[in-house]
Amino acid sequence: MLEGTRVLIIEDEIKTVNFIAMALRAKGYKVTSAQTGQSGILSFCTSNPDIILLDLGLPDMDGMKVLEEIRKVSDIPLMVVSGRKSESDIISALDAGANDYMTKPFSMGELLARVRVMERFISRESVTKSDAVLQFDGITIDTDRRRIYVDGEDVHLTPLEYKLLIILASNPGKVITHQQISRDVWGYRESSDAKSIRVCMASLRKKIKDNSPTPKYIFTEIGVGYRFADK
Ligand code: CA
């Protein structure tokens, strides 16, 4: 398994959530959960999960609608975990973009095995496959330990800020477009969300002390994207 793979469980039955969360945490996964469809979509946008487990019978909206909303913007690995057992339910969910479908009740061994299958869909490798340590003047990025040092000082980044920095710093001198950033950092399929990128970039620049009018590391290519300084 990847280090600290993040799983979001969208499920209204607390017992089921606790049952799954406990088993996943015991295996080193980081787990967040949401008990409604709306809070699930919000959590998907804000907590940056790697995998989603989705119930269909939710109190505020049908899980199929949640699936459709998420698939409009992202290819994140998603498995439906539902009490609905009919062939037509399963086919509809798979056709709507679920990567897998598991019916309740299920055994924990099977759930964990299927989550491992979901992990193979995670495209995180495309972002982080690079030298273990990226070294620039004044900034060191240790990708094995997921740590950033600016002028020798340990800097804490959110997962999105980290991914954003990695995609740029592992391509020094190369322009990375908004589109690529949307796809590789946010997992969005087509549209790029320029505002989210701007906000995240501003926060990242502040943290790595690169927010002056004459940046040292990250340069803006207006209307195109960003470029990390050449080594
Ligand atoms: Ca339910």
Side-chain angles (χ1 to χ4, degrees), residues 11-13 55 57-58 104:
E11 160 75 70
D12 60 321
E13 292 158 52
D55 180 29
L58 296 167
K104 295 176 187 169

Side-chain angles (χ1 to χ4, degrees), residues 7-231:
V7 181
L8 168 62
I9 306 170
I10 306 176
E11 160 75 70
D12 60 321
E13 292 158 52
I14 296 292
K15 264 189 184 168
T16 308
V17 173
N18 291 343
F19 178 53
I20 298 174
M22 212 158 57
L24 287 173
R25 287 195 181 112
K27 296 286 180 193
Y29 293 88
K30 295 204 169 76
V31 181
T32 51
S33 64
Q35 272 79 60
T36 63
Q38 281 301 342
S39 63
I41 291 170
L42 186 69
S43 199
F44 156 70
C45 295
T46 57
S47 72
N48 191 28
D50 298 304
I51 294 171
I52 295 178
L53 303 182
L54 173 68
D55 180 29
L56 294 182
L58 296 167
D60 59 331
M61 63 198 281
D62 195 281
M64 282 298 293
K65 185 78 191 146
V66 177
L67 171 57
E68 283 161 20
E69 289 301 312
I70 290 171
R71 276 293 173 259
K72 275 183 197 164
V73 294
S74 172
D75 278 329
I76 183 169
L78 182 150
M79 175 163 72
V80 169
V81 181
S82 174
R84 295 181 196 165
K85 294 180 170 61
S86 80
E87 191 184 353
S88 64
D89 282 323
I90 297 172
I91 290 170
S92 310
L94 294 173
D95 279 346
N99 299 83
D100 197 4
Y101 193 110
M102 192 168 67
T103 55
K104 295 176 187 169
F106 53 84
S107 77
M108 197 42 73
E110 184 178 350
L111 181 120
L112 291 172
R114 289 185 186 227
V115 167
R116 290 196 291 275
V117 173
M118 289 297 108
E119 284 187 280
R120 294 185 211 134
F121 293 113
I122 299 174
S123 57
R124 194 193 279 183
E125 285 309 302
S126 66
V127 176
T128 53
K129 69 156 188 257
S130 51
D131 303 342
V133 176
L134 300 166
Q135 181 80 56
F136 301 90
D137 181 24
I139 185 165
T140 303
I141 306 165
D142 183 339
T143 60
D144 278 347
R145 293 182 183 76
R146 285 182 153 244
R147 305 206 91 131
I148 316 295
Y149 302 91
V150 178
D151 297 331
E153 222 177 282
D154 201 349
V155 173
H156 294 274
L157 302 181
T158 67
L160 282 178
E161 289 161 1
Y162 178 80
K163 280 191 186 179
L164 183 55
L165 178 62
I166 292 294
I167 189 178
L168 291 165
S170 53
N171 296 284
K174 193 178 155 202
V175 178
I176 306 296
T177 64
H178 295 131
Q179 198 89 350
Q180 283 171 288
I181 292 171
S182 274
R183 194 189 58 218
D184 290 350
V185 179
W186 271 264
Y188 289 170
R189 254 190 299 200
E190 277 156 21
S191 62
S192 75
D193 181 354
K195 183 155 176 273
S196 297
I197 297 173
R198 252 198 334 270
V199 171
C200 189
M201 181 58 80
S203 165
L204 171 63
R205 277 177 160 154
K206 205 167 155 200
K207 288 186 182 176
I208 64 170
K209 299 181 199 157
D210 197 33
N211 52 343
S212 79
T214 51
K216 195 170 157 192
Y217 306 117
I218 301 171
F219 301 91
T220 304
E221 299 288 338
I222 293 166
V224 184
Y226 299 93
R227 176 173 53 83
F228 202 86
D230 242 327
K231 278 194 200 186

